């Protein structure tokens, strides 16, 4: 690559991919690598800077993740975040120990504005802390450049060695001016030019696909959602008629969605095949209530259906998927914990009938995927389509999946989306949908007792799908939605609104 790059060493924290996204917001290309990457490989990649991520361990534990101290002697600027900050302090001869007062959540900090990390920023602001340990004694040559009431080293630096650390998480929205702090490291310390764009990414991804595929054939798992649609556009530009897009109608789609997807792609210069497999998927999911098992069954069956379709088409060499970064990290990449297995990552079977899987969007976040879609010339109605999970309504019907439950949810979800659209809010909300819970409650309708399902409504705003905040929908919209659903959809007598952010919840309920 001709672009400058920053290397992010992953120590297993759940916010690690957010760091990559924040770096890219400054048009600086970055790659995430495991902390075990050899120094020789780091030098080969020639990064302008390195970032140590946070992680769940304590640097004082035996066998805690670490790096060769020689890495800090390469002359490459390094920024340690949270665990990465403590690790840097320990490797440089400082002392890390259990903090007298643990800090979690928003904490007020004071900053030394002479540091390149805080230049031109306010002297005081809130930061997002999450630590049990703290830096008890600074390494020689370092100084503290930020403090809180209970943490004397909220940030540290050794400008001569170009080593910097922050005890808090600048990558999350809860840290005031966190993005600007990262900019200070990238531009003032590392000398970044900001030379990476979606246009350059598209060109590189297209060329990589061409080199990998050669004269082979590719089968794309097309759901009709944003990710797979952008993937289809990119692959089409890369390999043209070597691509076949397979849309599997699993019976787990939203109301009329299968027909809408078919209409959208039939007008595009892409070979499109629709496979009706509702009976097959529902049969496999019969009696299953565990959400992880649902996802794994769907992932397995997706692959099997594609293998069958590949045989009909002829020799197909590669399977393509619209996998994106949040799918990867939530499925437990590297040392990170598994939050939930995405059907196209953790849900894949061990054996598949293709040479390899192609995932050109694997390093992108949702907002970057939308930008790429626009760059590739996709129409707005595809680029801004409401996100829909790969397993479909299977993870929005809690408990056992039945055709009756799916029919109830389809109608209720359609009404909710209609009311949001009527209010002109569809572009201002990141994602909104209905969930059919497995809980029943007593109600009264027509002077008679009912005992029917509780429906949950969910609306969140997010830019990266790694963190999200619940939307304060107008009461009028919730009121109209509730009245319509109770009157127009059978078997629902109670509606609740989800007011939980991510974390601690995930966006989907399963």
């Amino acid at each position: 690559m001709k672009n400058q790059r920053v290397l992010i060493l992953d120590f297993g924290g759940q916010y690690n991919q957010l760091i990559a996204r924040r770096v890219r917001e400054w048009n600086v290309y970055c790659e995430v690598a495991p902390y075990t990457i050899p120094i020789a490989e780091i030098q080969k990649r020639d990064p302008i800077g390195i970032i140590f991520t946070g992680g769940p361990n304590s640097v004082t534990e035996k066998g805690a993740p670490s790096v060769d101290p020689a890495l800090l002697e390469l002359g490459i600027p390094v920024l340690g975040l949270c665990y990465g900050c403590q690790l840097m302090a320990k490797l440089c001869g400082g002392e890390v120990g259990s903090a007298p007062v643990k800090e979690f959540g928003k904490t007020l900090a004071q900053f030394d504005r002479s540091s390149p990390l805080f230049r031109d920023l306010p002297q005081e602001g809130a930061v997002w802390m999450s630590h049990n340990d703290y830096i008890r004694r600074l390494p020689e040559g370092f100084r503290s450049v930020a403090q809180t009431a209970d943490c004397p080293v909220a940030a540290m630096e050794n400008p001569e060695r170009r080593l910097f650390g922050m005890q808090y998480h600048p990558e999350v929205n809860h840290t005031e001016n966190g993005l600007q702090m990262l900019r200070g490291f990238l531009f003032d310390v590392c000398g970044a030019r900001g030379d990476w764009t979606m246009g350059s990414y598209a060109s590189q991804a297209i060329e990589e696909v061409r080199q990998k595929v050669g004269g082979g054939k590719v089968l794309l798992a097309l759901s009709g959602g944003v990710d797979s649609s952008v993937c289809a556009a990119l692959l089409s530009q890369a390999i043209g008629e070597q691509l076949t897009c397979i849309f599997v109608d699993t019976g787990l789609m939203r109301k009329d969605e299968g027909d809408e997807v078919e209409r959208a792609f039939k007008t595009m210069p892409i070979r499109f095949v629709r496979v009706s497999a509702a009976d097959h998927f529902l049969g496999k999911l019969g009696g299953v209530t565990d959400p992880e098992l649902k996802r794994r069954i769907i992932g397995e069956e997706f692959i099997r259906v594609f293998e069958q379709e590949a045989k009909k088409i002829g020799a197909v060499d590669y399977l393509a998927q619209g996998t994106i970064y949040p799918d990867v990290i939530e499925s437990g990449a590297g040392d990170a914990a598994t939050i939930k297995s995405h059907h196209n990552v953790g849900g894949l079977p061990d054996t598949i009938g293709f040479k390899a899987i192609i995932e050109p969007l694997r390093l992108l976040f949702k907002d970057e995927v939308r930008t790429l879609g626009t760059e590739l010339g996709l129409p707005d109605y595809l680029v801004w389509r409401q996100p829909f999970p790969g397993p479909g309504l299977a993870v929005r019907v809690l408990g056992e999946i039945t055709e009756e439950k799916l029919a109830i949810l389809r109608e209720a979800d359609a009404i909710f989306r209609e009311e949001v659209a009527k209010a002109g809010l569809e572009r201002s909300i990141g994602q909104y949908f209905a969930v059919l819970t497995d809980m029943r409650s007593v109600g009264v309708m027509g002077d008679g007792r009912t005992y029917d399902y509780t429906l949950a409504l969910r609306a969140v705003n997010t830019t990266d799908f790694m963190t999200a905040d619940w939307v304060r929908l107008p009461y009028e919209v919730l009121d109209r939605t509730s009245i319509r659903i109770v009157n127009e959809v059978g078997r629902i007598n109670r509606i609740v609104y989800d007011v939980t952010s991510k974390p601690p919840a995930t966006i989907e309920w399963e």
Side-chain angles (χ1 to χ4, degrees):
M1 282 186 59
K2 297 179 181 178
N3 304 91
Q4 292 178 316
R5 77 182 71 195
V6 167
L7 191 61
I8 299 171
L9 297 194
D10 184 352
F11 287 90
Q14 283 301 324
Y15 293 142
N16 293 349
Q17 311 310 321
L18 267 183
I19 301 170
R21 184 186 171 278
R22 301 307 184 208
V23 170
R24 293 176 191 176
E25 284 189 37
W26 292 113
N27 293 331
V28 177
Y29 177 72
C30 62
E31 298 172 346
V32 179
Y35 68 88
T36 54
I37 183 173
I39 287 182
E41 177 61 24
I42 292 175
Q43 292 175 305
K44 181 179 178 181
R45 297 193 190 189
D46 191 27
I48 62 169
I50 297 171
I51 297 178
F52 290 175
T53 74
N57 302 93
S58 168
V59 298
T60 64
E61 296 173 355
K62 184 178 180 180
S66 187
V67 296
D68 187 335
L71 173 59
L72 301 176
E73 306 300 329
L74 297 178
I76 302 171
V78 180
L79 172 65
L81 303 180
C82 198
Y83 178 89
C85 178
Q86 295 171 1
L87 177 63
M88 179 185 291
K90 179 183 177 183
L91 293 176
C92 291
E95 184 180 345
V96 177
S98 180
V101 178
K102 322 300 182 186
E103 291 180 312
F104 298 95
K106 281 189 177 182
T107 307
L108 192 64
Q110 307 290 328
F111 307 107
D112 184 338
R113 298 171 66 193
S114 68
S115 169
L117 302 179
F118 311 121
R119 198 167 292 150
D120 301 324
L121 296 182
Q123 190 172 349
E124 183 178 87
V127 298
W128 187 258
M129 288 286 196
S130 183
H131 66 101
N132 288 299
D133 295 341
Y134 80 130
I135 297 171
R136 185 177 293 158
R137 179 176 56 81
L138 280 166
E140 184 178 349
F142 283 77
R143 70 183 186 111
S144 174
V145 290
Q147 305 83 31
T148 72
D150 298 305
C151 185
V153 186
M156 66 179 189
E157 69 174 18
N158 184 327
E160 290 73 24
R161 297 176 65 185
R162 298 204 289 176
L163 302 179
F164 299 80
M166 299 179 191
Q167 179 59 72
Y168 53 88
H169 290 274
E171 69 272 20
V172 302
N173 289 329
H174 307 301
T175 294
E176 295 176 1
N177 300 304
L179 192 60
Q180 297 294 330
M181 296 174 189
L182 288 175
R183 185 195 186 282
F185 175 71
L186 295 171
F187 288 84
D188 295 344
V189 177
C190 301
R193 296 189 298 265
D195 60 0
W196 186 73
T197 64
M198 274 300 106
S200 65
Y201 181 87
S203 300
Q204 178 196 357
I206 287 171
E207 184 57 33
E208 286 180 353
V209 169
R210 286 173 179 162
Q211 291 182 7
K212 183 170 186 176
V213 172
K217 293 182 179 180
V218 177
L219 197 64
L220 170 64
L222 178 65
S223 70
V226 177
D227 305 331
S228 63
S229 296
V230 172
C231 187
L234 189 147
L235 292 172
S236 178
Q237 291 192 23
I239 57 176
E241 293 184 357
Q242 294 168 249
L243 170 68
T244 299
C245 295
I246 304 292
F247 168 59
V248 178
D249 189 343
T250 62
L252 304 169
M253 310 297 290
R254 290 173 289 202
K255 185 178 180 180
D256 300 326
E257 190 151 32
D259 295 338
E260 291 174 2
V261 170
E262 184 170 5
R263 281 197 299 270
F265 282 91
K266 282 292 188 181
T267 61
M268 298 176 66
I270 292 177
R271 186 178 298 167
F272 178 90
V273 177
R274 179 176 180 175
V275 181
S276 297
D279 292 343
H280 179 76
F281 275 84
L282 293 181
K284 291 288 185 178
L285 291 166
V288 177
T289 59
D290 180 74
E292 271 295 288
L293 185 54
K294 286 180 186 179
R295 289 175 175 273
R296 292 186 178 279
I297 288 172
I298 292 168
E300 170 89 25
E301 295 312 308
F302 261 119
I303 295 295
R304 300 309 170 216
V305 170
F306 290 131
E307 288 176 342
Q308 293 171 12
E309 292 304 313
K311 292 176 182 177
K312 296 177 185 178
I313 295 169
V316 175
D317 304 283
Y318 300 95
L319 172 67
Q321 296 187 138
T323 306
I324 64 174
Y325 236 161
D327 299 342
V328 176
I329 188 60
E330 287 192 339
S331 295
D335 286 350
T338 299
I339 303 302
K340 55 187 178 183
S341 294
H342 288 259
H343 76 285
N344 53 348
V345 185
L348 290 177
D350 294 331
T351 304
I352 59 175
F354 302 94
K355 287 182 179 179
I357 293 177
I358 295 175
E359 297 170 315
L361 311 182
R362 190 180 179 89
L363 296 181
L364 299 184
F365 293 94
K366 182 73 72 173
D367 57 323
E368 293 177 312
V369 173
R370 294 191 195 278
T371 303
L372 178 60
T374 300
E375 182 75 30
L376 294 169
L378 275 177
D380 280 354
Y381 70 85
L382 283 179
V383 172
W384 291 99
R385 189 179 182 85
Q386 263 290 299
F388 191 54
L393 297 183
V395 292
R396 293 180 182 173
V397 170
L398 307 192
E400 183 180 2
I401 299 167
T402 65
E403 291 189 26
E404 180 193 36
K405 284 184 176 180
L406 290 169
I408 292 170
L409 180 56
R410 282 194 190 94
E411 295 300 323
D413 181 73
I415 289 172
F416 183 35
R417 289 188 286 129
E418 285 173 15
E419 290 302 326
V420 170
K422 285 179 183 177
L425 299 172
E426 66 268 38
R427 280 289 190 97
S428 63
I429 303 175
Q431 192 169 1
Y432 50 96
F433 54 90
V435 176
L436 186 65
T437 76
D438 206 26
M439 181 181 73
R440 297 189 183 190
S441 63
V442 174
V444 56
M445 299 175 73
D447 296 326
R449 178 186 186 276
T450 62
Y451 188 63
D452 281 323
Y453 290 110
T454 296
L455 183 85
L457 303 178
R458 178 84 157 136
V460 298
N461 268 329
T462 178
T463 55
D464 47 55
F465 286 78
M466 294 299 292
T467 60
D469 192 20
W470 64 277
V471 174
R472 280 68 172 168
L473 279 177
Y475 288 149
E476 294 78 10
V477 173
L478 292 173
D479 185 43
R480 286 195 303 269
T481 301
S482 177
I483 291 172
R484 283 193 60 194
I485 290 174
V486 170
N487 281 278
E488 299 176 31
V489 183
R491 303 299 309 278
I492 296 174
N493 67 358
R494 190 179 300 273
I495 296 172
V496 298
Y497 188 54
D498 187 344
V499 293
T500 319
S501 296
K502 175 185 180 179
T506 53
I507 293 177
E508 298 290 341
W509 276 42
E510 287 194 341

